[in-house]
């Protein structure tokens, strides 16, 4: 362990301990309960930040700088270039570069747009072309995950290099990464950084993520939790196919279990019904017990086909018995009708008067309908998953961010991952604020979908470290709600004089300042010269995006409302203008902060405000304004100063 990592561990430990000391004091001794409506939300927001500090400290505790693999590259490889509606020239340039990769391989363009001109371009380049098969018609498409799953069943390479349409690979990308799979047969994934060449030095859109594609992924790698980021990654086909088969089996088991539970309920209600003859209730209860037994057999690992086949035979035998009894009951019912009803003299048909109707309504009729419903449920059980184009779906389809979901499921099955910290592909980042906001929203929505559908904290198969590493990424997208509190608190103090803490005392500064300063030092040591200010700005400045992601992901997963999928524009600027409707919350916050600061100065001038409190909150406001200013810079941004970077990426 190097001296730098010893320092990081010391700083990480101090950050957590000082944070606990500060937050404990805040909860126990400093809340201004007279202003609980802002004091409590503020301390909750600070507690959220402490959890954030803890998760970052745990991430960096085992940060790993991997050496190059020792084994030579080996195995067959398919290179997949995923595309939907990107420009033909861009995809062709990436495909041409992929074809020049030095290691023997097959290159495939996966065209989800099914464009004839893209097919022709692939033929001209001498690379493979795959689009959706006919089985996908009228079935869920699952966006990029579906595109990859379709191609997986049409190719044979032992390993897959996955590239987005704009990610131009280095000729040695496979030579530099394939050795990890030979070094460790349990490695399923090798992820390399994403790097964008059409980004100015100032990068007002924050597209480069050097902290994530560096210390954070290295930290996750130390916990065997470096995850798939959608592109510039190599995956082992066997691992993906195992994942698909396990998912298929689980899906069939779950659908069978749901059907059997429904059958139990139907039979139980029929047995309790007043309309069911006492002589048949025992048969229905017995059949219900047989269904429950079948469900337990399947839960214990019994073969679904065999168990349901035997159960279906039992239901048919029971139905025959019930039908036989029903015929006797029906004949008896007809006799009752004949006895109670009069006869129409002209037609000879029975006439049922009120007395006869009352007598017939009180009669108990056959439970055959319950039997028929159970038989229909069993008949509906299908092992071919008719609702899907492919029974086996190797890439996870539970989220629009199929990459993270797939990696987490691979880790849960016991597979390992590697983060290789070397730029081996160059891509194109969004060049306007509107496109960037769309991209960030999709990332956040997909991550939160995974959290709601497959929460890592309770997922079987993951280690404690892996649970925390996945949860840390998901947790970060909940920050939009805390941002509102952090923006509102100084405004409320400067304008109304309402204090969320009991006093701006020595106790406050003695606890807060060490915690804050050690946090900043830890960040600087971890970053080691990397420019991270943009990332810090956007973690707060995009609070409306994070909140929208939370609400829309919740609506999609819990309320079953559709969630749209937008492909990031990668062919230059969106010239439709500044997205005022998307950034009005940030602009409003800027205006309110400025006004609050002016009011605070005015209150000092007339002697109605505390000087220390006003100073603290003014510094707070200035920091918030510095953070939010990135939105104005991004809105005014007009793309890279030249097209040379984009041309470089496509050569």
């Amino acid at each position: 362990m190097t001296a730098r990592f010893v320092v990081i561990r010391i700083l990480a430990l101090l950050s957590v301990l000082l944070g606990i000391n500060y937050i404990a004091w805040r909860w126990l001794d400093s809340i201004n309960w007279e202003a609980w409506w802002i004091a409590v939300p503020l301390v909750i927001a600070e507690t959220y930040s402490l959890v954030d500090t803890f998760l970052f400290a745990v991430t960096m505790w085992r940060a790993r700088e991997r050496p190059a693999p020792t084994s030579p590259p080996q195995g067959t490889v398919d290179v997949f270039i995923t595309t939907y509606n990107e420009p033909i020239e861009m995809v062709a340039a990436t495909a041409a570069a992929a074809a020049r990769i030095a290691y023997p391989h097959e290159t495939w363009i996966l065209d989800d747009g099914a464009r004839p001109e893209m097919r022709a371009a692939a033929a001209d380049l001498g690379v493979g072309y795959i689009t959706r098969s006919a089985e996908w018609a009228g079935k869920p498409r699952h966006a990029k995950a579906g595109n990859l799953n379709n191609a997986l069943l049409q190719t044979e390479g032992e390993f897959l290099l996955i590239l987005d349409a704009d990610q131009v690979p280095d000729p040695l990308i496979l030579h530099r990464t394939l050795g990890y799979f030979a070094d460790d047969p349990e490695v399923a994934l090798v992820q390399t950084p994403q790097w964008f060449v059409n980004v100015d030095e100032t990068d007002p859109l924050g597209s480069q993520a050097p902290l994530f594609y560096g210390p954070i992924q290295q930290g996750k790698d130390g916990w065997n939790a470096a995850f798939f980021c959608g592109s510039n990654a190599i995956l082992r086909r066997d691992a993906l196919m195992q994942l698909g088969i396990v998912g298929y089996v689980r899906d069939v088991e779950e659908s069978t279990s749901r059907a059997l539970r429904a059958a139990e309920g139907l039979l139980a209600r029929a047995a309790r019904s007043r309309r069911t003859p006492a002589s048949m209730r025992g048969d229905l209860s017995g059949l219900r017990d047989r269904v429950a037994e079948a469900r337990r057999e399947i839960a214990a690992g019994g073969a679904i086909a065999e168990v349901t086949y035997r159960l279906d035979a039992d239901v048919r035998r029971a139905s025959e018995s019930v039908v036989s009894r029903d015929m006797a009951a029906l004949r008896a019912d007809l006799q009752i009708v004949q006895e109670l009803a009069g006869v129409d003299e002209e037609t000879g048909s029975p006439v049922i008067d009120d007395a006869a109707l009352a007598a017939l309504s009180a009669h108990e009729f056959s439970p055959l309908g319950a039997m028929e419903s159970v038989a229909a449920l069993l008949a509906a059980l299908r092992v071919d998953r008719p609702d899907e184009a492919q029974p086996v779906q190797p890439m996870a389809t539970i989220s629009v961010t199929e990459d993270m979901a797939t990696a987490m499921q691979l880790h849960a099955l016991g597979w390992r991952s590697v983060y290789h910290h070397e730029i081996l592909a160059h891509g194109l980042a969004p060049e306007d604020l509107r496109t960037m906001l769309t991209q960030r929203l999709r990332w956040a929505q997909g991550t939160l979908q995974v959290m709601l559908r497959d929460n890592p904290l309770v997922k079987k198969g993951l280690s404690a470290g892996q649970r925390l590493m996945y949860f840390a990424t998901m947790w970060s997208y909940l920050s939009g709600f805390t941002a509102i509190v952090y923006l509102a608190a100084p405004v409320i103090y400067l304008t109304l004089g309402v204090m969320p803490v009991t006093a701006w005392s020595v106790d406050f500064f003695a606890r807060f300042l060490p915690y804050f300063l050690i946090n900043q030092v830890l960040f600087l040591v971890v970053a080691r010269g990397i420019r991270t200010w943009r990332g810090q700005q956007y973690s707060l400045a995009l609070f409306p995006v994070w909140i929208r992601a939370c609400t829309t992901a919740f609506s999609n997963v819990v309320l079953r409302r559709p969630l749209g999928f937008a492909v990031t524009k990668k062919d230059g600027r969106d010239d439709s203008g500044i997205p005022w409707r998307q950034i009005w919350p940030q602009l409003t916050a800027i205006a309110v902060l400025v006004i609050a600061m002016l009011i605070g100065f005015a209150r000092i001038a007339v002697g109605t405000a505390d000087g220390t409190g006003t100073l603290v909150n003014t510094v707070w406001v200035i920091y918030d304004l510095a953070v939010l200013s990135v939105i104005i810079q991004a809105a005014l941004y007009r793309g890279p100063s030249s097209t040379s970077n984009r041309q470089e990426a496509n050569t």
Side-chain angles (χ1 to χ4, degrees), residues 182 313 409 415:
Q409 293 181 17
W415 290 96

PDB file of all heavy atoms in Angstrom, residues 182 313 409 415:
ATOM      1  N   ALA A 182      -8.126 -14.315 -19.219  1.00  0.00           N
ATOM      2  CA  ALA A 182      -7.282 -15.496 -19.076  1.00  0.00           C
ATOM      3  C   ALA A 182      -6.656 -15.547 -17.682  1.00  0.00           C
ATOM      4  O   ALA A 182      -6.481 -16.633 -17.111  1.00  0.00           O
ATOM      5  CB  ALA A 182      -6.194 -15.495 -20.143  1.00  0.00           C
ATOM      6  N   ALA A 313     -53.513 -32.857 -14.393  1.00  0.00           N
ATOM      7  CA  ALA A 313     -54.251 -34.133 -14.414  1.00  0.00           C
ATOM      8  C   ALA A 313     -55.186 -34.229 -13.210  1.00  0.00           C
ATOM      9  O   ALA A 313     -56.336 -34.693 -13.330  1.00  0.00           O
ATOM     10  CB  ALA A 313     -53.264 -35.293 -14.425  1.00  0.00           C
ATOM     11  N   GLN A 409     -26.287  -7.873 -11.704  1.00  0.00           N
ATOM     12  CA  GLN A 409     -26.760  -9.251 -11.744  1.00  0.00           C
ATOM     13  C   GLN A 409     -25.604 -10.232 -11.962  1.00  0.00           C
ATOM     14  O   GLN A 409     -25.598 -11.336 -11.404  1.00  0.00           O
ATOM     15  CB  GLN A 409     -27.832  -9.396 -12.816  1.00  0.00           C
ATOM     16  CG  GLN A 409     -29.108  -8.636 -12.469  1.00  0.00           C
ATOM     17  CD  GLN A 409     -30.195  -8.798 -13.507  1.00  0.00           C
ATOM     18  OE1 GLN A 409     -30.148  -9.698 -14.325  1.00  0.00           O
ATOM     19  NE2 GLN A 409     -31.191  -7.917 -13.476  1.00  0.00           N
ATOM     20  N   TRP A 415     -19.726 -13.599 -10.531  1.00  0.00           N
ATOM     21  CA  TRP A 415     -18.726 -13.196 -11.515  1.00  0.00           C
ATOM     22  C   TRP A 415     -17.956 -11.972 -11.008  1.00  0.00           C
ATOM     23  O   TRP A 415     -18.423 -11.242 -10.139  1.00  0.00           O
ATOM     24  CB  TRP A 415     -19.382 -12.881 -12.852  1.00  0.00           C
ATOM     25  CG  TRP A 415     -19.924 -14.080 -13.550  1.00  0.00           C
ATOM     26  CD1 TRP A 415     -21.206 -14.540 -13.534  1.00  0.00           C
ATOM     27  CD2 TRP A 415     -19.191 -15.002 -14.376  1.00  0.00           C
ATOM     28  NE1 TRP A 415     -21.332 -15.680 -14.287  1.00  0.00           N
ATOM     29  CE2 TRP A 415     -20.108 -15.997 -14.820  1.00  0.00           C
ATOM     30  CE3 TRP A 415     -17.866 -15.094 -14.786  1.00  0.00           C
ATOM     31  CZ2 TRP A 415     -19.736 -17.044 -15.644  1.00  0.00           C
ATOM     32  CZ3 TRP A 415     -17.486 -16.147 -15.613  1.00  0.00           C
ATOM     33  CH2 TRP A 415     -18.409 -17.105 -16.034  1.00  0.00           C
TER      34      TRP A 415
END
